[in-house]
Amino acid sequence: MPKSPTLKLPDDLEQCQQMIRQIHEQMESLQEQLQVLLRARYGRKSETILVGQLRLFGEQPTEPEADDSQPAGEAEQVRKTHGRKKPPKDLPRVRREYNVDESERPCPYCSTVREIIGEEVSEQYDYTPASIRVIEHVRLKRSCKSCGEQVIVADKPKEVIEKGLAAPS
């Protein structure tokens, strides 16, 4: 890299170190300004924390993480899905099956015992100290094979929070 004729560098090591410190401080200031501008332009409106505020808690500002796996428009579409997110598949699961009473199994029309034709599965988060698992509540559905009518589903146990994902624990 050729030397600039107007730039005069000092020969003293202490002066060089002082210049490097000043340049480093200017770079930090410019990086903070850049982060604020990027957050204001591309970040969520609810993300109002400034990079300088992180230093109050002893944290170092980090570079924004760019997700190159999806274009910007697609990432926004993924967030707009309806309903609750399903619990992750890697969590341990406990399956609890609920069946209808013996007295309700015969078909009221032809008295044939209704066979299992499917199941309805709902999931809850269950917390035991230092671990989380998913409890699958499986309600077996029965139908009469003779007449193809009278589908019946086992009742679900009462929940602590109606339609909630949290188990009693």
Side-chain angles (χ1 to χ4, degrees):
M1 190 166 163
K3 284 188 176 181
S4 173
T6 59
L7 181 64
K8 292 188 178 186
L9 297 174
D11 293 332
D12 183 30
L13 181 62
E14 188 64 35
Q15 288 179 341
C16 288
Q17 289 176 347
Q18 183 64 29
M19 285 179 66
I20 291 172
R21 283 188 205 101
Q22 289 175 352
I23 291 171
H24 184 68
E25 288 174 6
Q26 290 174 356
M27 284 179 47
E28 283 183 347
S29 174
L30 289 174
Q31 284 179 337
E32 286 180 15
Q33 291 175 12
L34 177 63
Q35 294 296 326
V36 169
L37 292 173
L38 287 173
R39 188 169 286 118
R41 175 73 173 113
Y42 298 109
R44 290 184 176 174
K45 299 302 178 203
S46 63
E47 295 177 359
T48 56
I49 189 166
L50 299 176
V51 175
Q53 292 174 335
L54 292 175
R55 289 199 176 117
L56 293 174
F57 302 104
E59 296 181 22
Q60 291 295 324
T62 59
E63 297 293 322
E65 295 179 12
D67 186 13
D68 296 334
S69 62
Q70 295 177 337
E74 287 183 25
E76 193 65 31
Q77 289 175 354
V78 171
R79 290 186 201 121
K80 292 183 180 179
T81 58
H82 296 286
R84 254 188 212 124
K85 287 174 54 174
K86 298 243 182 219
K89 296 290 181 192
D90 61 333
L91 286 177
R93 295 179 185 280
V94 175
R95 183 177 171 102
R96 294 184 182 167
E97 290 187 0
Y98 306 97
N99 211 338
V100 295
D101 290 332
E102 290 284 336
S103 62
E104 296 178 2
R105 291 183 187 177
C107 178
Y109 294 132
C110 62
S111 298
T112 306
V113 176
R114 292 183 261 198
E115 297 180 18
I116 297 173
I117 60 167
E119 57 188 34
E120 292 182 6
V121 179
S122 61
E123 297 177 324
Q124 287 182 320
Y125 289 110
D126 183 36
Y127 175 75
T128 52
S131 67
I132 295 178
R133 62 183 179 172
V134 176
I135 298 174
E136 293 179 341
H137 296 277
V138 180
R139 298 168 37 208
L140 300 177
K141 296 194 280 186
R142 292 182 172 267
S143 174
C144 179
K145 289 291 183 180
S146 297
C147 61
E149 297 291 323
Q150 295 296 315
V151 175
I152 190 168
V153 179
D155 292 329
K156 189 174 178 185
K158 291 283 186 187
E159 296 175 344
V160 176
I161 300 172
E162 189 176 329
K163 296 184 181 180
L165 286 178
S169 64

